Every structure is written in structure tokens, then in C-alpha cells.
């Protein structure tokens, strides 16, 4: 168990709640992993036997977020931040405008027209986001063309090499997705900063909305297309496994291993320089000061929560056709805990402590994904041959039954 109180005393409530959520989410994935292993072993070739797992999946995705609310309230109550409100939030450092008089405080401060901000959002940012979404869908269709080429190649050759080639399009697409996500992230940060939001909370909400919409479509559109347009459960399992595993490997490398290697390389250069300039007695203190001064700045938990959000989507949406998704998620999160701790303590400067009452807008993001997972799993259950056999005469009865189950679960 992570020492949440110790983390909070050193890093503050925001970082402590992230590690608390990461630990809780990892433990919450264990039941899915325990059920998924025998389910995969005994029924892995029968893609239609996913009704029971999908039923458990949609219940699990709803319950764990409600339990987290209670755990979060317990932690923040103990830390004294449960009822913290930001009624007098200061303007963010990047906010700019002409000097004017605040009607409440009477102080002179920058003022920026909200009409200009809205024009920037709806006339520039929104069309740009829509253009990026269109480009993401275009890349997805190229991926399906590659999948068809690999399938035709395998049918013509029927060899071990052709079998491996079946996974190549998915791997390439997973790498392209990660590259597109990171490029879009920089563009979204630039646009949100250009919109000139006065408060940090408003800036974060607009940035998270832009990034989540693009990441959701970029990562999950192909899976929805395979499941509900192509109706190919075998390809869905292959694509889900490849996207999940590849994204986890790339994230671990980009977020922890690469920065740590660069920091170690810099430290070795610093030690050589210090040896030639300082005496042995002064070396340890001066060495430590210079190394810590050159450490990178930790930019917050945005990327960490985003990775967990996408992982929650992979597990909750379609893991019924690939039950090992939760197993790989647990293994990834165990290494994520240690890599994030390494990143915080060894790679970046210690961030300023920020009090908080919850995980903020990410709670709403996870709950939205939970609602989507309920709808998705209900549709998958309705598509299964077992449920379809219960309504041989009237498909309308099947549709109404699935809709009733969805409404009940969402309520």
C-alpha cells in the first residue's frame, strides 16, 4: 500500500490524490483480471461467449467510480481539504489584457473581453479540433486498408511470416496514434493559451475537453468501427490487444525511461565537471545543488490521468472480447507506480504543493467513459447469438429490452 499521508506531506494533496487513485484503480482491476484469465483460457477461440463477461464489465465500470468517491472523501476529510472552495481564485500567470478596475475589489488588474475569447473558441479552436478529428478518421481508414492488404497477403501465402504480418498494421496504427496524440496535445495547449482564459481552472477545463475529445476518437474510433460496422470480433480482439500493449510500452518509455536516461547522462557529465573544479570536501553539496537546479519542471498530473483514462476505456469498453486487457493493465499500473515515483523523486524538481478536494474534472471524464461503456456493453450483449436466440421472432423486442437495461443501469 502506498503511504498516502507521507506523499501528501511532501508533494501536497494533488499528487497524493493521483497516487491514491492510481493505487485504487490498480486494485479495482484485479477482479477483472482474475475473471479474465480463466475466461480467456477456456473460451478464447469462441468470440461469441462474452455475454457474462460483458455483464460483469458494465457493472464493474459503474461501481468502482462510486466507491472511489467515498475513498476520495475519506482522504480529503483527513487532510482538511474536503470542503475547500476556490471562490477567490487568482488569475493565471499567462492571462493578459488591458488594465482596468475590478468592480468587486476596486483594484487595477488586466481585463480581457469575454466576447473576444468566445470568438477565438468558436471561430478558430472549434474548427481546428474538427479538422483534427477528420484527419484522425482519415488515418483510421488507411489503417483498415492496410489490414485488408495484410489479410489478403496471409491468404495467398499461409506462412509464419504472413501470420506475423497480420499484426503489423495494428502496431503501425498504434504508434501513429501515440504520435498524433502528442502532436495534437502541443497544438491544444497553444490554442487554449491563445484563448486567454483568466482562471487556471477554466484553462484546464478547456484544455482537457480538447484533448479528451481527440484522444477518445483517435484511440477508440477504430474499435467502434470494427465492432458495430464490420462485426468482426476476431479483428476487434487483435486490434484491442495491439493498441493496448503498444500504447503502454510507448508511454512507459516516453514518460519515465527516456527522461530518466537523459537525467542520468546529464548527471555523469556534471560529476566529471565538478571533479575538475571542486575540492573533494565541497563536491557533494555543490554537486547536488547543480544537479537539482538543472532538473526538469514537473508539468502536473495531466498526462498521468490521461493515460489512466485511456486505459480505463480499453478495459471497460471492449475487454469482454479480450479478457486479458485487465491483466495487462494491472501489470502496467504496477510498473507505473514505481516509474512515476522515480520520475517525481529523481527526474523532475519537486512541484509546489497544491491543495485539492478531489481529482477535479477527471472524475467527470471517467464517469462519462463509464456511461459510454454501459451503452457499448449492452449493445454487444444484444448482438450476441445467445441473446439473439431469445428473440427469434421480433428484433424490436430485443432492441427494447437492451434499451431498458441501459436506462436502468445508467439510472
Amino acid at each position: 500500500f502506498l503511504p498516502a499521508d507521507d506523499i501528501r506531506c511532501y508533494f501536497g494533496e494533488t499528487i497524493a490524490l493521483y497516487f491514491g487513485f492510481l493505487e485504487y484503480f490498480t486494485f479495482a482491476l484485479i477482479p477483472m483480471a482474475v475473471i479474465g484469465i480463466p475466461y480467456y483460457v477456456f473460451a478464447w477461440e469462441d468470440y461469441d461467449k462474452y455475454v457474462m463477461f460483458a455483464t460483469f464489465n458494465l457493472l464493474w465500470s459503474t461501481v468502482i467510480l462510486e466507491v472511489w468517491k467515498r475513498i476520495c472523501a475519506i482522504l480529503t476529510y483527513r487532510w482538511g481539504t474536503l470542503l475547500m472552495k476556490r471562490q477567490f481564485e487568482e488569475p493565471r500567470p499567462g492571462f493578459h489584457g488591458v488594465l482596468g478596475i475590478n468592480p468587486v475589489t476596486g483594484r487595477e488588474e488586466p481585463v480581457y473581453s469575454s466576447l473576444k475569447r468566445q470568438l477565438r473558441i468558436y471561430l478558430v479552436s472549434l474548427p481546428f479540433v474538427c479538422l483534427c478529428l477528420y484527419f484522425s478518421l482519415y488515418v483510421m481508414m488507411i489503417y483498415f486498408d492496410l489490414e485488408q492488404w495484410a489479410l489478403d497477403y496471409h491468404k495467398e501465402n499461409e506462412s509464419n511470416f504472413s501470420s506475423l504480418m497480420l499484426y503489423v498494421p495494428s502496431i503501425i496504427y498504434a504508434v501513429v496514434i501515440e504520435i498524433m496524440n502528442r502532436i495534437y496535445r502541443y497544438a491544444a495547449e497553444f490554442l487554449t493559451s491563445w484563448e486567454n482564459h483568466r482562471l487556471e481552472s477554466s484553462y484546464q477545463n478547456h484544455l482537457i475537453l480538447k484533448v479528451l475529445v481527440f484522444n477518445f476518437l483517435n484511440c477508440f474510433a477504430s474499435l467502434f468501427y470494427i465492432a458495430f460496422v464490420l462485426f468482426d470480433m476476431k479483428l476487434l480482439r487483435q486490434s484491442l490487444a495491439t493498441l493496448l500493449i503498444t500504447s503502454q510500452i510507448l508511454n512507459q518509455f516516453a514518460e519515465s525511461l527516456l527522461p530518466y536516461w537523459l537525467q542520468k547522462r546529464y548527471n555523469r557529465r556534471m560529476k566529471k565537471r565538478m571533479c575538475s573544479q571542486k575540492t573533494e570536501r565541497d563536491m557533494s553539496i555543490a554537486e547536488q545543488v547543480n544537479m537539482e537546479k538543472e532538473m526538469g519542471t514537473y508539468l502536473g498530473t495531466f498526462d498521468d490521468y490521461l493515460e489512466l483514462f485511456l486505459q480505463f476505456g480499453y478495459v471497460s469498453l471492449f475487454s469482454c472480447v479480450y479478457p486479458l486487457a485487465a491483466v495487462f493493465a494491472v501489470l502496467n499500473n504496477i510498473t507505473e507506480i514505481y516509474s512515476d515515483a522515480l520520475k517525481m523523486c529523481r527526474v523532475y524538481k519537486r512541484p509546489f504543493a497544491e491543495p485539492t478536494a478531489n481529482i477535479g474534472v477527471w472524475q467527470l471524464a471517467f464517469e462519462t467513459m463509464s456511461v459510454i461503456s454501459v451503452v457499448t456493453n449492452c449493445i454487444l450483449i444484444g448482438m450476441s447469438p445467445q441473446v439473439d436466440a431469445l428473440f427469434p421472432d421480433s428484433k424490436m423486442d430485443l432492441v427494447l429490452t437492451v434499451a431498458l437495461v441501459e436506462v436502468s443501469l445508467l439510472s
Side-chain angles (χ1 to χ4, degrees):
F1 295 94
L2 292 175
D5 293 325
D6 294 339
I7 297 174
R8 176 246 175 179
C9 290
Y10 190 76
F11 288 106
E13 287 81 8
T14 300
I15 304 296
L17 270 187
Y18 163 70
F19 277 101
F21 181 75
L22 175 58
E23 180 187 29
Y24 166 76
F25 184 53
T26 304
F27 278 106
L29 284 166
I30 291 177
M32 291 284 288
V34 170
I35 295 175
I37 293 175
Y39 205 92
Y40 180 84
V41 170
F42 294 110
W44 72 278
E45 280 293 355
D46 195 340
Y47 299 100
D48 297 326
K49 292 183 178 179
Y50 55 77
V51 175
M52 292 302 296
F53 197 88
T55 304
F56 178 76
N57 196 355
L58 58 88
L59 293 174
W60 170 86
S61 62
T62 305
V63 170
I64 64 166
L65 295 178
E66 296 302 317
V67 176
W68 165 249
K69 289 181 183 178
R70 178 176 293 272
I71 294 175
C72 181
I74 292 173
L75 288 174
T76 52
Y77 175 78
R78 190 165 73 227
W79 296 337
T81 61
L82 177 61
L83 300 179
M84 190 197 72
K85 296 180 180 179
R86 294 187 176 182
Q87 295 176 338
F88 304 101
E89 188 177 354
E90 291 292 330
R92 54 186 290 268
F95 175 70
H96 59 274
V98 297
L99 286 178
I101 303 299
N102 188 308
V104 177
T105 64
R107 294 187 304 177
E108 195 176 53
E109 63 179 34
V111 177
Y112 188 78
S113 170
S114 100
L115 177 61
K116 289 183 180 179
R117 184 181 300 114
Q118 296 299 321
L119 289 175
R120 289 186 175 190
I121 291 173
Y122 291 109
L123 297 183
V124 179
S125 296
L126 184 60
F128 175 78
V129 172
C130 294
L131 180 64
C132 291
L133 295 179
Y134 172 78
F135 181 73
S136 175
L137 293 176
Y138 181 76
V139 172
M140 182 189 75
M141 299 314 297
I142 295 176
Y143 156 66
F144 285 117
D145 291 338
L146 290 175
E147 280 285 358
Q148 187 61 46
W149 171 83
L151 185 61
D152 294 340
Y153 180 81
H154 177 66
K155 287 180 179 179
E156 292 177 1
N157 295 274
E158 290 287 344
S159 63
N160 293 331
F161 178 75
S162 65
S163 299
L164 292 175
M165 288 296 295
L166 292 175
Y167 292 92
V168 171
S170 297
I171 295 175
I172 295 175
Y173 185 52
V175 174
V176 170
I177 283 176
E178 290 299 319
I179 295 173
M180 290 172 61
N181 285 344
R182 294 184 183 279
I183 294 175
Y184 177 82
R185 166 71 186 279
Y186 292 121
E189 287 179 345
F190 173 79
L191 278 177
T192 310
S193 179
W194 179 68
E195 291 166 5
N196 197 25
H197 296 277
R198 180 176 180 273
L199 301 179
E200 182 65 26
S201 58
S202 176
Y203 171 84
Q204 289 294 331
N205 290 342
H206 281 80
L207 176 61
I208 289 173
L209 179 62
K210 288 186 184 72
V211 173
L212 287 188
V213 168
F214 180 80
N215 277 258
F216 180 83
L217 187 74
N218 201 28
C219 295
F220 301 115
S222 62
L223 301 179
F224 279 100
Y225 185 83
I226 294 170
F228 303 127
V229 177
L230 300 181
F231 304 107
D232 190 341
M233 295 302 163
K234 184 176 181 179
L235 180 59
L236 179 61
R237 169 178 287 185
Q238 174 188 314
S239 298
L240 176 60
T242 308
L243 290 175
L244 176 63
I245 297 171
T246 306
S247 65
Q248 288 179 347
I249 293 174
L250 292 176
N251 281 325
Q252 289 284 355
F253 176 77
E255 291 184 9
S256 298
L257 297 180
L258 181 60
Y260 179 71
W261 177 77
L262 293 175
Q263 185 65 31
K264 291 286 287 184
R265 185 181 177 186
Y266 172 79
N267 289 348
R268 285 195 296 269
R269 292 203 307 266
M270 282 298 301
K271 286 181 180 179
K272 292 180 180 178
R273 191 182 306 169
M274 294 298 297
C275 287
S276 62
Q277 296 178 356
K278 299 292 181 181
T279 63
E280 187 67 28
R281 186 171 59 86
D282 297 330
M283 189 188 305
S284 59
I285 298 177
E287 188 180 278
Q288 182 178 356
V289 169
N290 279 279
M291 287 180 182
E292 292 182 1
K293 181 185 69 174
E294 297 298 329
M295 281 183 172
T297 302
Y298 181 66
L299 299 177
T301 56
F302 185 97
D303 288 326
D304 301 311
Y305 277 119
L306 179 60
E307 183 180 351
L308 293 179
F309 172 79
L310 295 177
Q311 186 185 97
F312 178 67
Y314 284 126
V315 174
S316 63
L317 292 174
F318 298 108
S319 65
C320 59
V321 297
Y322 184 62
L324 290 184
V327 177
F328 285 108
V330 170
L331 295 176
N332 176 79
N333 287 358
I334 292 174
T335 59
E336 184 78 15
I337 291 173
Y338 290 100
S339 63
D340 284 344
L342 175 70
K343 181 171 63 177
M344 299 277 190
C345 299
R346 300 288 183 184
V347 178
Y348 295 111
K349 299 173 185 175
R350 186 177 72 169
F352 290 104
E354 295 181 7
T356 186
N358 47 53
I359 61 175
V361 71
W362 290 105
Q363 179 73 36
L364 178 61
F366 278 90
E367 289 175 353
T368 304
M369 180 66 80
S370 176
V371 171
I372 297 173
S373 74
V374 169
V375 176
T376 301
N377 281 281
C378 285
I379 295 174
L380 287 172
I381 291 172
M383 288 168 51
S384 66
Q386 296 94 322
V387 175
D388 189 61
L390 298 176
F391 302 91
D393 300 325
S394 175
K395 297 301 179 184
M396 182 58 67
D397 292 340
L398 173 60
V399 173
L400 293 175
T401 303
V402 171
L404 179 62
V405 171
E406 285 181 9
V407 173
S408 301
L409 288 170
L410 292 176
S411 300

